[in-house]
Amino acid sequence: MQNAIEFHQVCKRYPDFYLENLSMQLPEGQVMGLVGVNGAGKSTTMRLLMGLIQPDSGSVTALGYELPHQQVRVKEQIGYASEDMRMYKNETLGWHMRFIQSIYPGWDPLYADHLLKVFDLKADQKTKGFSHGQRVKAGLLLVLARRPKLVVLDEPTTGLDPVAREEVLSELAEILRNEERSVLFSSHNTQDVEQLSDTISFLHKGKLLDSQDKEIYLDRWRRVLCTGISDASNLSLPGLVRIKRNGSLHELIFNQNPDAAVARLNELGAEISVVEPMSLEKIFVAAVKAGVHI
Amino acid sequence: MNSTVESRLYKSVDGNVSEQELQQRYHYLDNLRALAMIAGVLFHASLAYSSMLHGLWISADSQQSSAVDVVGFFTHLFRMPLFFLIAGFFAAYLVAKRGMGGFIANRAKRVLLPLIVFLPLCLWAVVAAMLSAANTVENKSPVLAMVAKALANPADAPPPPPPTTMHLWFLYVLVFLYLLTWAFGYLNWSSVREKVIQIKPLAFLLGFPLLLMPGLLLVGSPLPAPDSFLPQLWAFGFFGLFFAVGYWMFKGDNLVEKISSYWWLMLIGSVFLYVLYYQLIPKRIVLPAPPIETHLKIVLKLCEAYIAVWMTLVCLVLGKRYLNGANRNMRFMADSSYWIYIIHVPLLFAIQYQLMDLSWGWLTKFAVSVIATLTIGVLSYTLLVRWTPIGWMLNGRRK
Amino acid sequence: MNYALNIPLIKILITKDWHLQRKTIAMYLVGGLFSLSFISGGEWQFFMGTTLLISALIGLGNHQITSSIINERKEYTLPFIMSLPVTPIDYLVAKLIASMSLFVLPWFVVCAATLVVFWITPIPDGFIPITVIIGIYLFLCYAVSWTVGMISESEAVSIFTMVFMNCLIGPVIFTFTRFSGISSHVSAASPVWNSESVGVVVGQLVVILLALATAFYWQARKKTFL
């Protein structure tokens, strides 16, 4: 399968930020969630993908085209919306729709009208009167109605009220059904990522902690509660990421092969009370705190 | 790229105007406009026999009559105001029909392009006829004598006057008014509109002329032609306001119906004011004009303002009553008048130069020059213009 | 950088800029026409009209740079435009043509009208060289401010440049009228173009071209566009 996105050992240095050796791929038709705290490098990654930033070293490819050199070809097929993107405040949404339509031959007017209704937006309203939620939805409308091959969304759900967030997520889920369309979206809300993504990439301080299928994370990570461990600090178990003690109760977090770890704990005489899968948020927090490769 | 969408992106159409209103042809306005243009031909023809302008008009004849001035300068006060009012009306019509972009494109083709094409040709024709007349005419007008003298002694000659827009000044001023139409279109007029609607007809008839005073006070009497290439502020304050009233008239205010019962009062008032006006204006115009007292100037300007407004409205009322038909002859006159007006000045001069040495009376000369000019105008329109690209440029393509 | 320009999109961007600036253009058109027709009054109206006209021209230039270049960055519409199929160079070319066309046309009309006034009035034509120099200086102010607006990422720097360049108009007139090759011929009946006046004009044109070239050079080398 061809990759929609390929980062190969990409480095980009800023005075106060360093994106280090980023390598990752997004196969065509897949949805990748990019997770990281603020300043992790999510927006930089997306701007690299749009050709707006030239990497210091390494290569970025999207839909088979090199960036930033072939950014025009790439951008003809990408729909990109970011949090810091605004429309012209004195023009109406309808004007913006016609503007985008004049550029993208693939614009789907029926779908655009459908989105107007679903998102409860008015085409004849000037964008300066838009709330944050309306602005995000309008931006998404302009991106989705051009029927792009690759959708790149920087923090699409940040700051939305629950209703708007639900509207946006369900519409995203709808477009993700198309198997040829690839999506990269970033969020620091792991719930949204968990709901939509096939693949998840964790970024932290400019480094890619991991990039895997969502199911793999959920399969591998376990939280184990047990008592009866005498010397916790010397405990050496495969895949042990973190250990936390609360009286005689120990909380252990494993990121691989949990069955083997549980068996080994039993051998050591530990009394296991709980072995439970973890949510993506907990996995992310644990990984960031431990500073480990996931 | 999707060009239809692109063109739609920047187009706006006024949705408030009904289709029926747009399709209706305003015959009386077409006809009045044509009459105003023909009246312009008559006026310019008469100036050769005007005693007032004898020292300034190049084809001034030795035969003169003050009757020419009495009639000519009366029509001079409202001929072009009427024309600009109608131009404003049709501007609003076009904006409503084609949107602002279509309006500008249409006006560029019908007004700007003819100006660019015909002004140099008219200038050339006038100068050529003048140079020829300077050598051949015996009874030269004062201006022609000056030209002949300058040609004979180029070293002593005063510098030639700068070129002007001549009789095509109205096209030049219209271009600016169309640009202003576009620019003012961005303002929100709804509050102004509400106030204007409440104005009573009588208040309009008495109040509107006062708005013309600032513009009129900037120039002398009788009114000169704003034919300089430098835009004239007074022309915007005078003709521009008539244009604005015309624009307003289309926007739904049935002005003509409202004031129709006052027409004879306005006509009598205008004639009365003109009697006063004619007493006060100089009987022979010299340049530069001698200064006149302020109170006298104000009286003159008030007369001009009221006569211009009232007579324009009288023309509208009578035009709507008697000229609102659409017969073939009227239609022919409406279509041909633009072409005839454009070419009439060089033609008139060339013909009147030939008449200067004849011993006919002024009325005969006047009649001959007018008939000859109109005949050549009509013939050339029929043969060279009506079915050719010149006609398409001036009046649109005939279906 | 990919130097094959995306012409159809550049056209769309130019039309877009014209459209967005339509009210500014309309406002200055009315102001400019008023000032121009004011000149026709003669005497003091001539000086007031001329001053108004030059102020309108400077105002138009600065207003336009602020609204189309600085505000695009400040109001975050630049990321929106850059998400379209354009390179930074396409963007620059579109901005250059859109802004220049909106400034050059009125600038040319004003300069031409001024020269026509010299031609048709008794003002000695010897004034023409210094008038041309001042006219070109106004264009130079615009070109430099435009370049700084395009390459600087700071509103403050751009505004400072505009104010600074326009403040120099007085000193520039003062300096050039001190050039004997220029000042000694102002009352001549016909314009005198000697090495000094021609040199100043050429020098100004070189600065204008350098300023515009700098914008292109800078943009082509930028590694981080947003």
Side-chain angles (χ1 to χ4, degrees):
Chain A
M1 195 189 295
Q2 207 197 328
N3 285 326
I5 298 174
E6 271 182 40
F7 281 80
H8 182 67
Q9 296 194 324
V10 175
C11 297
K12 180 74 191 174
R13 185 178 289 283
Y14 288 106
D16 47 2
F17 174 76
Y18 183 42
L19 185 72
E20 194 182 339
N21 271 328
L22 177 69
S23 291
M24 63 178 192
Q25 296 83 37
L26 172 66
E28 219 166 69
Q30 294 263 305
V31 181
M32 178 188 276
L34 205 53
V35 183
V37 295
N38 292 332
K42 303 188 295 285
S43 297
T44 306
T45 306
M46 293 190 161
R47 284 172 185 184
L48 280 163
L49 197 56
M50 294 302 291
L52 300 174
I53 299 177
Q54 201 174 343
D56 297 338
S57 62
S59 70
V60 183
T61 329
L63 303 169
Y65 297 109
E66 282 266 317
L67 286 160
H69 306 284
Q70 292 173 297
Q71 59 175 297
V72 169
R73 305 302 300 278
V74 173
K75 288 196 271 194
E76 278 167 359
Q77 301 173 65
I78 290 192
Y80 170 62
S82 75
E83 210 195 358
D84 63 0
M85 197 182 266
R86 295 282 183 282
M87 285 170 275
Y88 293 100
K89 60 182 181 187
N90 287 322
E91 300 300 327
T92 61
L93 173 59
W95 180 85
H96 283 84
M97 288 163 68
R98 293 191 296 275
F99 177 62
I100 294 290
Q101 186 178 9
S102 71
I103 296 169
Y104 292 89
W107 178 269
D108 184 342
L110 292 177
Y111 184 45
D113 285 343
H114 161 79
L115 287 173
L116 268 180
K117 281 196 201 85
V118 170
F119 287 159
D120 195 20
L121 292 168
K122 291 189 189 78
D124 56 2
Q125 193 182 347
K126 283 191 180 176
T127 66
K128 69 176 160 196
F130 278 4
S131 66
H132 173 71
Q134 285 173 315
R135 213 165 49 219
V136 171
K137 289 190 286 187
L140 211 55
L141 181 153
L142 294 180
V143 163
L144 298 181
R146 62 182 94 153
R147 297 279 189 201
K149 265 180 134 176
L150 172 61
V151 179
V152 178
L153 303 171
D154 194 1
E155 304 276 359
T157 55
T158 305
L160 292 185
D161 62 64
V163 177
R165 187 165 157 262
E166 188 48 43
E167 286 169 355
V168 166
L169 285 176
S170 66
E171 205 48 50
L172 278 177
E174 187 68 27
I175 65 146
L176 302 183
R177 286 196 196 151
N178 183 334
E179 300 211 331
E180 282 170 22
R181 183 167 300 136
S182 322
V183 180
L184 174 69
F185 79 102
S186 74
S187 180
H188 52 249
N189 185 333
T190 47
Q191 264 182 331
D192 298 345
V193 176
E194 194 170 346
Q195 193 176 332
L196 296 173
S197 313
D198 304 314
T199 317
I200 295 169
S201 296
F202 285 101
L203 268 177
H204 190 60
K205 289 187 179 167
K207 279 187 198 147
L208 183 69
L209 298 182
D210 206 351
S211 181
Q212 291 282 359
D213 266 17
K214 177 173 72 180
E215 302 305 327
I216 293 180
Y217 292 113
L218 300 176
D219 277 356
R220 287 189 324 199
W221 284 70
R222 287 290 182 276
R223 173 170 172 263
V224 176
L225 290 179
C226 63
T227 50
I229 297 175
S230 52
D231 188 5
S233 54
N234 282 334
L235 204 58
S236 156
L237 289 167
L240 180 63
V241 173
R242 216 174 103 187
I243 186 161
K244 212 166 116 186
R245 186 175 170 181
N246 189 0
S248 62
L249 188 70
H250 286 82
E251 183 199 54
L252 292 89
I253 290 175
F254 297 93
N255 74 347
Q256 49 176 285
N257 211 357
D259 294 343
V262 169
R264 178 82 182 110
L265 277 173
N266 280 329
E267 281 172 25
L268 291 171
E271 216 169 283
I272 297 171
S273 52
V274 174
V275 178
E276 60 177 17
M278 294 170 65
S279 70
L280 208 55
E281 182 162 345
K282 293 228 163 84
I283 295 173
F284 176 55
V285 171
V288 166
K289 282 201 172 162
V292 295
H293 207 263
I294 305 179
Chain B
M1 300 289 150
N2 192 334
S3 61
T4 48
V5 176
E6 201 185 329
S7 59
R8 239 192 308 136
L9 185 57
Y10 301 100
K11 199 182 270 182
S12 68
V13 175
D14 193 335
N16 300 326
V17 184
S18 75
E19 193 60 27
Q20 193 198 354
E21 214 173 346
L22 290 183
Q23 280 172 356
Q24 186 184 337
R25 200 171 153 88
Y26 298 91
H27 298 290
Y28 77 104
L29 292 175
D30 266 350
N31 295 333
L32 278 176
R33 180 168 54 182
L35 282 181
M37 304 230 108
I38 302 299
V41 177
L42 296 180
F43 176 69
H44 289 144
S46 76
L47 289 181
Y49 315 101
S50 149
S51 33
M52 204 188 272
L53 276 183
H54 186 73
L56 299 173
W57 196 250
I58 193 155
S59 63
D61 201 281
S62 51
Q63 301 284 322
Q64 299 156 39
S65 161
S66 48
V68 163
D69 293 329
V70 174
V71 179
F73 282 94
F74 183 57
T75 61
H76 185 57
L77 286 173
F78 60 88
R79 195 183 74 251
M80 291 315 277
L82 174 66
F83 175 85
F84 275 94
L85 184 139
I86 296 172
F89 182 92
F90 282 116
Y93 168 82
L94 272 173
V95 171
K97 189 176 165 193
R98 306 190 176 189
M100 195 55 90
F103 160 72
I104 293 290
N106 177 282
R107 295 293 87 188
K109 205 160 64 187
R110 299 265 182 281
V111 173
L112 181 61
L113 190 61
L115 175 67
I116 293 170
V117 172
F118 290 112
L119 183 57
L121 291 175
C122 285
L123 274 169
W124 172 82
V126 165
V127 171
M130 178 187 77
L131 293 179
S132 152
N135 290 324
T136 54
V137 173
E138 294 280 322
N139 291 315
K140 293 186 177 65
S141 68
V143 179
L144 198 57
M146 216 165 67
V147 172
K149 200 176 144 201
L151 288 173
N153 292 308
D156 300 336
T164 66
T165 51
M166 303 204 305
H167 62 298
L168 299 186
W169 65 263
F170 73 104
L171 295 178
Y172 190 66
V173 172
L174 274 178
V175 168
F176 288 112
L177 290 176
Y178 293 144
L179 285 174
L180 289 174
T181 303
W182 166 74
F184 283 125
Y186 289 119
L187 297 180
N188 184 0
W189 292 97
S190 54
S191 59
V192 180
R193 180 187 292 234
E194 271 171 28
K195 288 207 179 73
V196 173
I197 283 175
Q198 290 167 5
I199 296 175
K200 298 273 183 296
L202 201 57
F204 175 80
L205 297 182
L206 296 174
F208 176 64
L210 297 177
L211 292 179
L212 304 171
M213 289 299 283
L216 285 173
L217 284 167
L218 293 172
V219 282
S221 301
L223 295 174
D227 57 2
S228 162
F229 275 100
L230 202 61
Q232 304 286 297
L233 193 56
W234 80 269
F236 295 118
F238 183 64
F239 299 116
L241 283 175
F242 278 97
F243 183 90
V245 169
Y247 200 93
W248 177 259
M249 232 172 85
F250 179 78
K251 286 279 165 182
D253 195 25
N254 46 351
L255 182 71
V256 180
E257 283 79 44
K258 280 190 195 161
I259 48 109
S260 59
S261 55
Y262 297 97
W263 76 268
W264 57 276
L265 273 178
M266 291 192 287
L267 181 62
I268 292 170
S270 299
V271 171
F272 173 76
L273 284 176
Y274 185 67
V275 171
L276 175 67
Y277 179 76
Y278 193 76
Q279 303 299 319
L280 296 177
I281 49 173
K283 295 297 162 286
R284 224 168 237 276
I285 298 171
V286 284
L287 283 181
I292 62 167
E293 287 170 52
T294 312
H295 68 271
L296 192 61
K297 179 156 187 166
I298 291 175
V299 171
L300 279 173
K301 293 297 155 187
L302 282 170
C303 290
E304 284 171 352
Y306 279 95
I307 297 171
V309 173
W310 290 351
M311 281 312 294
T312 300
L313 297 174
V314 168
C315 290
L316 286 176
V317 172
L318 297 182
K320 192 160 191 181
R321 200 169 290 175
Y322 301 112
L323 291 174
N324 209 10
N327 65 53
R328 272 186 65 202
N329 294 337
M330 281 294 207
R331 182 67 200 269
F332 183 84
M333 184 182 76
D335 286 346
S336 61
S337 60
Y338 191 7
W339 164 254
I340 294 173
Y341 194 82
I342 286 176
I343 60 160
H344 84 278
V345 164
L347 271 179
L348 263 180
F349 284 166
I351 294 164
Q352 289 178 334
Y353 291 142
Q354 308 305 316
L355 301 176
M356 280 162 105
D357 289 335
L358 300 179
S359 56
W360 301 350
W362 73 266
L363 199 56
T364 317
K365 287 185 178 184
F366 170 69
V368 168
S369 60
V370 167
I371 291 169
T373 304
L374 291 180
T375 308
I376 297 173
V378 168
L379 282 179
S380 59
Y381 175 74
T382 317
L383 298 174
L384 303 173
V385 176
R386 199 173 191 198
W387 306 101
T388 67
I390 309 174
W392 303 343
M393 171 170 72
L394 299 178
N395 298 320
R397 205 159 180 160
R398 306 187 69 86
K399 290 178 185 112
Chain C
M1 281 295 145
N2 182 4
Y3 285 105
L5 296 174
N6 186 354
I7 304 288
L9 205 75
I10 289 178
K11 279 189 198 157
I12 291 180
L13 291 187
I14 293 171
T15 323
K16 180 244 350 164
D17 266 358
W18 287 344
H19 175 75
L20 292 176
Q21 303 235 19
R22 63 202 186 280
K23 289 183 187 171
T24 312
I25 303 167
M27 198 171 84
Y28 282 96
L29 178 85
V30 174
L33 196 53
F34 176 75
S35 317
L36 200 62
S37 52
F38 214 79
I39 293 175
S40 67
E43 298 168 20
W44 64 271
Q45 292 102 316
F46 171 80
F47 290 101
M48 189 161 156
T50 327
T51 314
L52 276 173
L53 203 58
I54 292 176
S55 313
L57 196 62
I58 295 170
L60 170 69
N62 293 346
H63 199 141
Q64 203 205 88
I65 290 171
T66 315
S67 67
S68 95
I69 298 172
I70 300 177
N71 282 359
E72 194 138 282
R73 196 171 276 282
K74 202 170 110 189
E75 292 172 1
Y76 298 104
T77 44
L78 185 57
F80 173 65
I81 291 302
M82 290 314 296
S83 75
L84 306 174
V86 277
T87 61
I89 290 290
D90 292 336
Y91 175 78
L92 188 81
V93 170
K95 274 279 175 243
L96 181 76
I97 298 174
S99 340
M100 289 292 161
S101 55
L102 292 184
F103 180 80
V104 169
L105 199 68
W107 172 81
F108 184 79
V109 168
V110 169
C111 291
T114 315
L115 294 180
V116 166
V117 168
F118 285 142
W119 181 33
I120 65 178
T121 58
I123 300 171
D125 290 357
F127 265 111
I128 287 178
I130 184 72
T131 311
V132 169
I133 288 171
I134 295 167
I136 297 180
Y137 180 74
L138 292 179
F139 188 63
L140 186 148
C141 288
Y142 178 76
V144 171
S145 305
W146 185 85
T147 297
V148 172
M150 277 314 284
I151 66 181
S152 88
E153 315 216 329
S154 140
E155 187 184 1
V157 171
S158 307
I159 289 176
F160 173 78
T161 311
M162 287 184 228
V163 173
F164 180 74
M165 294 301 292
N166 292 321
C167 284
L168 280 184
I169 292 176
V172 160
I173 297 175
F174 181 83
T175 310
F176 288 143
T177 46
R178 290 295 170 279
F179 284 19
S180 62
I182 295 172
S183 63
S184 55
H185 302 294
V186 286
S187 42
S190 53
V192 176
W193 289 103
N194 52 29
S195 58
E196 275 190 12
S197 46
V198 172
V200 171
V201 168
V202 170
Q204 292 191 107
L205 293 177
V206 168
V207 173
I208 291 170
L209 287 177
L210 270 181
L212 300 182
T214 308
F216 275 88
Y217 177 74
W218 198 282
Q219 191 85 334
R221 279 177 52 94
K222 254 187 195 175
K223 297 223 166 193
T224 305
F225 192 72
L226 275 182

